[in-house]
Amino acid sequence: MEQDQRILARITEMVEDERKLRASVASGEIDSGTEHQRLGQLERELDQCWDLLRQRRAKTEFGENPDEAQVRPSSQVEGYLE
């Protein structure tokens, strides 16, 4: 469960980073091209974190070791529906 909490904390950090990026564009601190690039990276990392958390929870639910869950490539997890 401690690992799950760390994953959730990282997700929270990335959501806050996303909010800050959007605010920086709105205030003119960064251009939309920079925002787009950074947001894309954040979104890929978020997808991977959510996927890892789902894997861990599924393994726990079915009596398997959640520590065997692994981060999958962003190309594999992108586009999953919540």
Side-chain angles (χ1 to χ4, degrees), residues 1-40:
M1 283 299 193
E2 183 178 320
Q3 181 67 15
D4 291 358
Q5 292 303 316
R6 283 197 295 265
I7 295 168
L8 283 169
R10 179 65 184 132
I11 288 170
T12 300
E13 288 172 14
M14 286 188 284
V15 168
E16 181 62 20
D17 288 346
E18 180 180 28
R19 187 197 64 76
K20 288 177 184 176
L21 276 172
R22 293 187 191 282
S24 292
V25 166
S27 68
E29 292 175 39
I30 62 173
D31 62 69
S32 61
T34 301
E35 178 212 25
H36 184 71
Q37 181 181 7
R38 289 182 182 171
L39 282 174

